[in-house]
Amino acid sequence: MMKQLIDSLMGRKRVLIDETERAVWLYKGEVRGILGAGEHVLKNRDGSLRIERQPLARMMFASAYEQAVLDKLPADVATHLTVVRTAENEIAVIERDGIINTILGPDAKLIVWSDAGPWKASLVDIVDNVRVEPKLLQRLQKTDRMQFVTVVEVGEGKTALVSIDGRMTDRLEPGVYGYWNPGRKIGVKLVDLTRQSLDVTGQEMLTRDRVTLRINISAEYRVADPLLAVTSVKDFADALYRALQLAFRKTLGALTLDQILENKVTVDAGAADKVRADMALIGVEVSDIALKDVILPGEMREILNQVVAVQKEAEANVIRRREETNATRSLLNTAKVMAENPVMLRLKELEALESIAGKVERLTVLGGTEGLLNDLVRLRD
């Protein structure tokens, strides 16, 4: 009570600052200092003392008198505050007690209470170091401080083409990469390098003899030169699709229906050479190309089925006539041999008699065996 009376008579005031806070004090509207933990005796004539308290748990120094403090109180600033500034092309990685706390972008300033630390600020020149160092990238991901980083993930069998402000800069192998993105545009194009298949289905075309067909084509391809494939055309898979369409329409359109149905292999080879040559110019290697299906309209299928049926019947008739002719010729040759050779005739008679005798109990031959096949042969049970 006595202290308060004495302080009041002397125009001063005692201010207690807790360990969990710090304060800026002003007298008659002028910034006078920063107060640490403890009891402070300050001027207060006419009640002109003002105290602005800030909790250390908030860590950042946020005050309407920030600039005045920085300009007028350099000693207090050095004692109580940590100030981090970045230039136009810099990033600051700010750690608190060894853990990443904040990422500060270019042309920025951050002021924190030193007693809320310890603090460490690492400046990164993002002009010379466009890519984030791998260990730092892992730490940024773990602490979820990725606001100034573009992450590029490249899976197995793929590559990534990275452009900065429209200019291609890197080709990346499988892995995880980070790029500092303030003030620049990071573009990423993932390209699959594995062998892939492409189907062109239901393509209508007109043959030379004016028959409308639908064809299905398949092709296998892989990207041999990713940079060329990406920069030459907007979509290399679409370019292959159109190349297959045009090549096969042109090739098949110059043939009749019979030629297409009879000689698919030749048609495939002729069209494939054109497709492979065109795609090689844009960095795409095409291997197998196949004309999988030739689909006819319903009425055309019925006509072809009838034609096939007639052809098969004609072939069957030819075979039957050939067999009948051969049988007749064989009989004629046998008769001629028997007529010219009595011994052969006699042997045939005996073979016939032996065959018959094996099937009956009793055989009666009239007129002797001399004219066995010339006279009547009677069989009795």
Side-chain angles (χ1 to χ4, degrees), residues 239-345:
L240 174 57
Y241 188 96
R242 295 183 182 279
L244 290 168
Q245 278 184 318
L246 295 175
F248 274 85
R249 280 183 179 177
K250 182 177 180 180
T251 303
L252 299 181
L255 301 174
T256 64
L257 176 61
D258 288 342
Q259 290 174 318
I260 293 173
L261 296 178
E262 291 174 3
N263 205 358
K264 283 187 181 181
V265 175
T266 302
V267 172
D268 290 350
D273 289 342
K274 171 63 175 173
V275 173
R276 290 192 182 97
D278 290 345
M279 297 309 296
L281 297 176
I282 62 170
V284 177
E285 179 184 283
V286 182
S287 53
D288 297 334
I289 301 177
L291 179 61
K292 295 175 63 177
D293 302 299
V294 177
I295 304 170
L296 300 172
E299 62 274 12
M300 182 59 66
R301 286 200 300 271
E302 293 178 5
I303 293 172
L304 286 180
N305 288 336
Q306 293 174 8
V307 170
V308 171
V310 170
Q311 290 175 342
K312 294 300 181 184
E313 181 63 27
E315 291 174 1
N317 290 335
V318 170
I319 293 172
R320 282 196 294 271
R321 287 194 297 271
R322 187 182 300 120
E323 290 177 348
E324 291 173 355
T325 302
N326 291 338
T328 302
R329 185 178 294 111
S330 179
L331 289 174
L332 179 60
N333 291 335
T334 301
K336 187 180 296 183
V337 170
M338 289 181 178
E340 295 175 353
N341 195 335
V343 176
M344 180 64 72
L345 180 59

Side-chain angles (χ1 to χ4, degrees), residues 54-243:
Q54 295 193 23
L56 286 181
R58 193 169 62 185
M59 294 183 286
M60 287 189 298
F61 174 75
S63 172
Y65 307 104
E66 175 187 302
Q67 195 59 49
V69 169
L70 295 176
D71 293 342
K72 295 183 177 183
L73 306 173
D76 284 13
V77 169
T79 301
H80 295 283
L81 298 176
T82 297
V83 182
V84 182
R85 289 185 173 90
T86 56
E88 179 183 1
N89 296 312
E90 287 182 331
I91 290 281
V93 180
I94 302 171
E95 301 178 44
R96 177 176 180 258
D97 198 17
I99 299 173
I100 294 178
N101 178 267
T102 308
I103 303 296
L104 194 62
D107 280 333
K109 177 178 67 180
L110 178 69
I111 305 174
V112 292
W113 291 106
S114 297
D115 290 337
W119 300 95
K120 177 185 176 182
S122 302
L123 296 176
V124 180
D125 187 335
I126 60 174
V127 173
D128 296 331
N129 302 282
V130 178
R131 194 185 298 182
V132 183
E133 194 271 333
K135 289 184 179 179
L136 176 58
L137 177 62
Q138 292 179 358
R139 296 182 66 198
L140 293 173
Q141 289 178 312
K142 288 179 180 178
T143 55
D144 196 24
R145 300 292 190 270
M146 301 293 290
Q147 63 268 37
F148 296 116
V149 178
T150 296
V151 176
V152 181
E153 295 187 17
V154 186
E156 287 295 333
K158 295 180 173 62
T159 188
L161 300 176
V162 179
S163 63
I164 298 178
D165 294 335
R167 183 173 62 88
M168 201 69 66
T169 59
D170 294 329
R171 175 181 171 179
L172 305 179
E173 300 301 319
V176 179
Y177 306 84
Y179 286 81
W180 298 113
N181 57 31
R184 56 171 64 107
K185 184 177 180 180
I186 308 295
V188 180
K189 179 70 174 181
L190 287 174
V191 181
D192 195 331
L193 300 179
T194 60
R195 192 169 298 281
Q196 302 178 70
S197 61
L198 178 70
D199 292 324
V200 181
T201 59
Q203 297 300 304
E204 289 193 355
M205 56 154 295
L206 194 65
T207 65
R208 194 177 71 185
D209 47 356
R210 307 191 67 78
V211 176
T212 301
L213 303 176
R214 282 191 300 120
I215 59 173
N216 295 334
I217 310 163
S218 69
E220 289 192 357
Y221 72 95
R222 73 175 188 89
V223 178
D225 188 334
L227 182 59
L228 182 61
V230 169
T231 56
S232 297
V233 293
K234 183 177 181 180
D235 186 333
F236 54 81
D238 183 65
L240 174 57
Y241 188 96
R242 295 183 182 279

